[in-house]
Amino acid sequence: MALPDSSAGSLADSHPLRPSAGRERSDRALGSRQLAAMLPDLAGARPAYRHVAQAIGALILDGRIALHVRLPAERELATALDTSRATVTAVYDLLREQGFARSRQGAGTWTDLPEGRSPRRVTRLLGPEDTVIDLARAAPGLPGQALTDALAHIAPQLAEHAHTPGYHPYGLPELRAAIAERFTRRGLATVPEQILVTSGAQHALTLVMGLLCRPGDRVMTENPSYPNALEAMRRAGLRTVPVPVTDTGWDIEVIESTLRQAVPRLAYLIPDFHNPTGCLMPRQQRVRLLRAAQSSGTWLVVDETLADLALDVPRPEPLASHATPGGAGQVITIGSMSKTHWAGLRIGWLRAPARLVTELAGQRVATDMGGSVLDQLLALTLLAQAGELLPNRLDQLREQRAALAAALAEHLPQWSRQLPPGGLSLWVDLGEPIASALAERALDYGVRIEGGAYFATDPGIFEQRLRIPYTLPPDTLREAVRRMARALADGPAPAAAARRSHWVA
């Protein structure tokens, strides 16, 4: 059988698959100007050293500053901050006292994690206290009965697999076939050889970056964007080249210009009900994007994790389906069941040229050798039932979206928002840069939420925004809005803002 995209030519011809460079000790240092750019303005801060130390500690917890990297020399940082060396000495002393730094004679000062503390990228995924309404995670649950029925259905199949080694680095053949058929039904002819089953979409993205990129490569990404994807890029040592996504969507001319001038190695985009803005990229822009990426030789990584959650419009076709013949050879489409079904399944996938899938499978074996057979059998059953499960999920989301919008209009009418045509959340404009301060205070009122800066490619922006998911029951969403309104009404924002850094990963 001829594989679609086979006319794209050898991967090594125009895009050699470069191995990731090893981490050297010299790469584990933080420049003084780089650190200074991440820190808040010292004007009026008293005492200044404590203000800087708190900000650095918050950056370490947020993942903006990695662990075990060497901090700048005291004299260099003092110059970059336009302050005295004594102030920086006091900053480093306090960081060591709090456990955020350690020093060794002649080796400098290195970042560390205090005993008993967890990075915020970990705590954000943990369940909140019982009294807290969690608006930090846009992830719906799965009806218990659906999971129970699926488990009963797969029990005989699982027993058959128990007599095999259970390693499937490409994914279960039957699941690969089902995902390929799913793409074909949506308008993009696909065969199983073009599918790699992964442990979620994030795993798929990490595999792709590990194979196609090396530290220092440019990656075009939307701003704002999915925080965990941005964090993966930072950890891979990639340089993000942001293009804006506003309430009205993408500026395709800016994207075309960026691709032409920056010539990024890879571009990561969420064209279907974009996270967090909810925008849907029009067909004409998709065609122009594909053409521009092909001209610049840029690999497109299209995140379709939200594509099935179309609430007011027909489900969009895969972006790669708009490519000219042979033009989809540099498009990698990733998806998962986390947003449509349940994140606890940890089932995702990518669609790519078959040759690239083979190389990615080889890369994958170095980390997990293959996914859980149990989870993949569950995924296969649930995907087969999508015609029954998904309509109910969409009706539920519409009801919850309406409840959230009505509660905001009643209790926080000064906040502006647009109803997205799909997806899981509202991108709310607060009218003033208080998002991090409000998120800090809202926790005292029993609501956990993240400010818009969490979704930014660079620190200090989207402080006037909140992403508010509508994945909870209507009554819970209404109560969450009432609590946030009380938090906003009680006390001035600047007092709370000083308690936590504005920059989160």
Side-chain angles (χ1 to χ4, degrees), residues 283-359:
R283 183 186 186 281
Q284 184 180 10
Q285 290 190 359
R286 295 172 184 243
V287 173
R288 292 176 63 176
L289 167 64
L290 286 162
R291 186 184 305 125
Q294 188 174 15
S295 296
S296 66
T298 298
W299 284 93
L300 278 182
V301 178
V302 181
D303 188 335
E304 284 194 345
T305 54
L306 296 164
D308 281 338
L309 300 178
L311 302 181
D312 302 327
V313 295
R315 182 176 64 177
E317 297 174 339
L319 187 143
S321 67
H322 300 291
T324 56
Q330 292 175 194
V331 181
I332 301 168
T333 304
I334 63 178
S336 83
M337 300 182 68
S338 294
K339 305 300 186 183
T340 55
H341 292 77
W342 183 41
L345 278 177
R346 304 314 310 139
I347 292 294
W349 53 80
L350 62 83
R351 179 202 183 273
R355 294 180 302 278
L356 183 61
V357 167
T358 297
E359 298 198 42

Side-chain angles (χ1 to χ4, degrees), residues 75-107:
R75 191 183 304 277
E76 294 175 1
L77 185 56
T79 300
L81 292 176
D82 193 21
T83 189
S84 68
R85 182 174 178 178
T87 296
V88 177
T89 299
V91 168
Y92 284 6
D93 286 344
L94 186 55
L95 288 173
R96 283 188 288 266
E97 177 185 329
Q98 295 176 339
F100 286 106
R102 54 182 172 79
S103 299
R104 192 172 72 249
Q105 185 67 30

Side-chain angles (χ1 to χ4, degrees), residues 148-429:
T148 300
D149 293 345
L151 284 168
H153 178 75
I154 69 168
Q157 304 169 52
L158 186 61
E160 294 176 8
H161 281 275
H163 300 290
T164 72
Y167 294 123
H168 297 277
Y170 288 96
L172 281 179
E174 52 267 48
L175 181 55
R176 296 177 75 197
I179 295 170
E181 175 60 25
R182 186 173 177 272
F183 274 109
T184 300
R185 288 198 310 270
R186 294 179 56 214
L188 181 60
T190 304
V191 294
E193 289 82 358
Q194 293 174 283
I195 300 297
L196 179 71
V197 179
T198 62
S199 299
Q202 185 75 6
H203 181 215
L205 175 62
T206 303
L207 287 174
V208 169
M209 293 191 302
L211 185 66
L212 295 180
C213 300
R214 66 184 179 192
D217 279 350
R218 295 186 182 94
V219 176
M220 188 182 79
T221 185
E222 297 146 329
N223 190 27
S225 187
Y226 179 53
N228 290 329
L230 296 175
E231 176 66 13
M233 295 171 196
R234 296 186 191 109
R235 288 183 166 270
L238 306 179
R239 292 183 291 168
T240 56
V241 182
V243 293
V245 181
T246 67
D247 288 333
T248 57
W250 296 258
D251 187 328
I252 191 61
E253 293 184 358
V254 170
I255 292 177
E256 290 171 329
S257 175
T258 300
L259 288 169
R260 183 171 58 251
Q261 296 178 20
V263 193
R265 174 67 173 169
L266 184 147
Y268 170 77
L269 300 168
I270 312 172
D272 304 308
F273 316 123
H274 174 262
N275 186 6
T277 68
C279 294
L280 177 64
M281 183 179 285
R283 183 186 186 281
Q284 184 180 10
Q285 290 190 359
R286 295 172 184 243
V287 173
R288 292 176 63 176
L289 167 64
L290 286 162
R291 186 184 305 125
Q294 188 174 15
S295 296
S296 66
T298 298
W299 284 93
L300 278 182
V301 178
V302 181
D303 188 335
E304 284 194 345
T305 54
L306 296 164
D308 281 338
L309 300 178
L311 302 181
D312 302 327
V313 295
R315 182 176 64 177
E317 297 174 339
L319 187 143
S321 67
H322 300 291
T324 56
Q330 292 175 194
V331 181
I332 301 168
T333 304
I334 63 178
S336 83
M337 300 182 68
S338 294
K339 305 300 186 183
T340 55
H341 292 77
W342 183 41
L345 278 177
R346 304 314 310 139
I347 292 294
W349 53 80
L350 62 83
R351 179 202 183 273
R355 294 180 302 278
L356 183 61
V357 167
T358 297
E359 298 198 42
L360 287 167
Q363 172 120 339
R364 186 250 186 91
V365 168
T367 57
D368 69 352
M369 297 192 292
S372 161
V373 171
L374 172 60
D375 286 0
Q376 291 182 77
L377 288 173
L378 275 173
L380 184 63
T381 298
L382 292 171
L383 284 177
Q385 299 172 356
E388 305 168 19
L389 294 174
L390 190 57
N392 292 333
R393 168 60 51 84
L394 297 182
D395 287 342
Q396 183 182 49
L397 288 174
R398 292 186 188 99
E399 179 186 2
Q400 292 166 182
R401 183 186 60 175
L404 175 58
L408 289 170
E410 178 182 357
H411 298 286
L412 292 162
Q414 69 274 31
W415 291 1
S416 61
R417 68 272 170 199
Q418 294 182 354
L419 286 185
L424 295 174
S425 58
L426 302 183
W427 185 234
V428 178
D429 189 340

